[in-house]
């Protein structure tokens, strides 16, 4: 009787889960698992490369940073994006002209990778659900992530799950060498620069006026205390009021995940947006990052990938100091040498920003760091390194997999 009762409970939970998935009522961050599995029973994925993205739409910004490079890679080798969430897949189909499928079952995923002879699997984050694809032995697994920064996530032990990691430059390798144990960063990391900066380039534009402008681009609240870098609730309103009082224009670029985890951040985001817009500034959402970089004379940001991406502008930056005593970073030279804004100094951000713009004493030092962080930034160079690295690893995969298959074939002695 108890066994029969447990079986009934499992069926009820299963039926309830299906209904929740079907009507889109699952908690945020949980994929709905509505897959194309039946239609893919005998199908093969297009191309040599699979991008595995099991996340919900909240995290889609992580993949968006790679749209441009992935389009170019699709032309060279063929790319298919595999999702676990049907809502995310629908959004992707509307945004990017790449093949997209949704796979809910591990068995479907295992079989289709083998049937497709997929050479590379790419990942843009460390989602624990990535393990579904990581089980495959027939492909090389590459971590791309969605930015290169001094956040502790950049030196997470999770990097060891991947065969290789594509990083921006030598700074990332040195960071991993310093902060990660039992990981051979020089052997496992391949510097490719920031290919999205190549594909998202814009032509230089003429500013409408000569008013000095500050780009305020805080990060999100973070998933744990050690990665709580956001200045939004601690510095944001005071700093922006100070910038405006100093006669500076403000572009406010909120992080896409702002307020998803902690409602207070969403409330502050709304207040800050209203303040900026009421002062004639711009709240930048869905706008190419390079446009904001072009329009700004200085960036005020947290410890995040914004620091390195901003470097090629050669313009000054001001980095906030987290107010959370539990936060930790994986500091490199840029973070160590850059001016930091504490909570106590937020009310003086305007005068400090104006002084940094008008007397940029660290400009030459930052320019010298560009190659260290990003490699060659000649237009097209980073994209070329990315495509070459993918092609090289695809060839290596073929060689390794052929050797494994040869070893698994029965020998003449086995048939005796």
């Amino acid at each position: 009787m108890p066994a029969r009762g447990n079986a009934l409970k499992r069926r009820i939970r299963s039926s309830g889960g299906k209904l929740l998935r079907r009507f889109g009522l699952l908690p945020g961050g949980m994929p709905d698992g509505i897959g194309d599995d039946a239609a893919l029973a005998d199908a093969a994925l297009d191309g040599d490369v699979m991008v595995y993205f099991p996340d919900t739409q909240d995290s889609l910004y992580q993949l968006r940073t790679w749209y441009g490079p992935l389009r170019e890679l699709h032309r060279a080798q063929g790319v298919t994006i595999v999702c676990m969430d049907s809502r995310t897949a629908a959004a992707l189909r509307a945004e990017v002209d790449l093949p997209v499928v949704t796979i809910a079952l591990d068995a479907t995923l295992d079989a289709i990778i083998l049937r497709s002879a997929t050479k590379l699997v790419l990942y843009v984050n460390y989602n624990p659900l990535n393990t579904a694809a990581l089980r495959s032995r027939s492909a090389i697994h590459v971590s791309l992530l969605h930015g290169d920064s001094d956040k502790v996530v950049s030196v997470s032990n999770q990097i060891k799950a991947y065969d290789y990691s594509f990083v921006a430059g030598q700074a990332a390798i040195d960071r991993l060498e310093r902060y990660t144990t039992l990981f051979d960063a020089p052997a496992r990391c391949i510097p490719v620069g920031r290919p999205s900066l190549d594909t998202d380039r814009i032509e230089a534009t003429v500013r409408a006026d000569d008013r000095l402008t500050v780009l305020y681009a805080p990060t999100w609240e973070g998933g744990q205390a050690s990665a709580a870098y956001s200045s939004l609730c601690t510095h944001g309103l005071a700093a922006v009021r100070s910038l405006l009082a100093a006669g500076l224009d403000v572009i406010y670029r909120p992080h896409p995940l702002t307020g998803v985890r902690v409602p207070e951040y969403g409330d502050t985001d709304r207040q800050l947006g209203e303040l900026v817009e009421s002062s004639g500034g711009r709240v930048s959402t869905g706008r190419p990052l390079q446009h904001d970089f072009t329009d700004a004379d200085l960036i005020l940001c947290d410890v995040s990938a914004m620091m390195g991406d901003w470097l090629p502008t050669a313009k000054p930056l001001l980095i906030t100091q987290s107010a959370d005593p539990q936060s930790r970073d994986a500091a490199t030279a840029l973070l160590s040498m850059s001016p930091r804004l504490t909570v106590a100094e937020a009310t003086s951000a305007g005068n400090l920003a104006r002084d940094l713009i008008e007397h940029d004493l660290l400009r030459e030092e930052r320019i010298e760091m560009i190659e260290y962080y990003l490699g060659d930034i000649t237009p097209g160079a980073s994209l070329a390194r990315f495509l070459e690295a993918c092609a090289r690893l695809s060839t290596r995969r073929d060689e390794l997999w052929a050797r494994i298959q040869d070893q698994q074939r029965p020998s003449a002695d086995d048939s005796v």
Side-chain angles (χ1 to χ4, degrees):
M1 188 68 175
R4 187 177 302 171
N6 289 337
L8 178 60
K9 289 178 182 178
R10 285 195 295 271
R11 285 199 296 273
I12 291 172
R13 283 198 298 267
S14 177
S15 299
K18 290 177 181 176
L19 287 172
L20 287 172
R21 286 194 294 271
R22 182 61 62 187
F23 290 102
L25 299 176
L26 284 169
M30 184 181 296
D32 63 14
I34 301 174
D36 307 315
D37 297 65
L40 296 171
D42 299 311
L45 300 177
D46 293 337
D48 295 342
V49 182
M50 183 180 97
V51 178
Y52 192 61
F53 191 74
D55 301 75
T56 57
Q57 295 178 76
D58 286 342
S59 298
L60 197 50
Y61 74 94
Q62 298 171 342
L63 187 53
R64 287 190 181 110
T65 64
W66 285 96
Y67 280 177
L70 290 176
R71 286 191 185 99
E72 297 301 320
L73 182 59
H74 183 56
R75 294 188 182 98
Q77 293 188 238
V79 172
T80 297
I81 301 175
V82 174
C83 301
M84 190 183 285
D85 186 275
S86 66
R87 301 160 298 183
T88 302
L92 281 166
R93 292 186 185 104
E95 292 181 9
V96 65
D97 49 345
L98 293 171
V100 180
V101 299
T102 309
I103 297 177
L105 303 176
D106 290 355
T108 305
L109 183 64
D110 293 344
I112 203 167
I113 291 176
L114 276 173
R115 193 163 54 242
S116 307
T118 299
K119 302 177 190 299
L120 300 182
V121 183
L122 310 180
Y123 308 81
V124 298
N125 58 29
Y126 288 147
N127 189 320
L129 294 173
N130 288 349
T131 54
L134 279 167
R135 285 200 312 271
S136 171
R137 295 182 301 116
S138 62
I140 285 180
H141 301 268
V142 181
S143 168
L144 303 180
L145 295 187
H146 50 279
D148 189 288
S149 74
D150 287 354
K151 289 184 175 183
V152 289
V153 69
S154 294
V155 292
S156 168
N157 213 43
Q158 292 165 294
I159 195 172
K160 298 173 185 176
Y162 304 86
D163 298 313
Y164 292 96
S165 288
F166 286 178
V167 297
Q170 186 61 41
I173 297 175
D174 291 347
R175 183 191 298 117
L176 285 161
E177 286 265 87
R178 178 184 299 176
Y179 295 104
T180 306
T181 60
L182 301 176
F183 178 73
D184 189 350
R188 301 273 297 278
C189 293
I190 300 175
V192 298
R194 293 283 278 144
S196 59
L197 298 183
D198 273 343
T199 57
D200 297 342
R201 285 183 188 274
I202 62 170
E203 296 297 324
T205 57
V206 178
R207 295 269 291 275
D209 56 53
D210 57 359
R211 285 174 60 86
L212 297 179
T213 300
V214 173
L215 169 61
Y216 177 45
T219 190
W220 72 298
E221 49 267 34
Q224 59 273 348
S226 62
Y229 305 108
S230 181
S231 63
L232 185 61
C233 289
T234 54
H235 301 60
L237 286 168
V240 169
R241 289 190 182 110
S242 178
L243 293 169
L244 295 171
L248 300 168
D249 281 349
V250 174
I251 300 171
Y252 168 48
R253 187 181 182 94
H255 190 281
L257 279 184
T258 298
V260 169
R261 179 173 169 268
V262 181
E264 179 190 356
Y265 283 79
D267 295 338
T268 305
D269 170 55
R270 284 187 289 276
Q271 294 179 53
L272 194 54
E274 291 170 1
L275 172 62
V276 169
E277 289 182 333
S278 68
S279 304
R282 178 189 299 124
V283 177
S284 180
T285 56
R287 188 173 189 247
L289 180 60
Q290 295 302 309
H291 285 281
D292 288 344
F293 280 6
T294 297
D295 290 346
D297 299 287
L298 174 144
I299 189 171
L300 170 60
C301 66
D302 304 330
V303 175
S304 72
M306 286 287 181
M307 295 162 43
D309 289 353
W310 175 261
L311 264 181
T313 70
K315 293 180 283 191
L317 73 165
L318 177 58
I319 304 169
T320 63
Q321 180 72 55
S322 174
D324 192 323
Q326 298 183 76
S327 71
R328 299 290 183 269
D329 55 53
T332 53
L334 180 59
L335 184 60
S336 303
M337 66 166 280
S338 299
R340 306 296 299 273
L341 186 74
T342 66
V343 173
E345 295 167 329
T347 55
S348 304
N351 290 335
L352 180 55
R354 182 176 283 279
D355 184 61
L356 289 171
I357 294 170
E358 295 174 350
H359 307 94
D360 186 7
L361 303 180
L362 296 174
R363 176 184 169 85
E364 295 305 318
E365 285 85 345
R366 288 196 311 275
I367 291 174
E368 289 177 2
M369 287 186 181
I370 292 175
E371 184 173 357
Y372 177 57
Y373 277 87
L374 300 171
D376 182 2
I377 62 168
T378 302
S382 180
L383 178 62
R385 292 202 299 277
F386 170 70
L387 296 175
E388 187 277 331
C390 288
R392 176 160 42 89
L393 289 186
S394 295
T395 300
R396 177 165 172 74
R397 175 268 177 192
D398 288 344
E399 295 168 350
L400 293 172
W401 189 237
R403 187 182 70 192
I404 290 172
Q405 290 178 310
D406 285 343
Q407 291 172 342
Q408 291 179 333
R409 289 192 184 97
S411 66
D413 291 340
D414 293 335
S415 61
V416 175

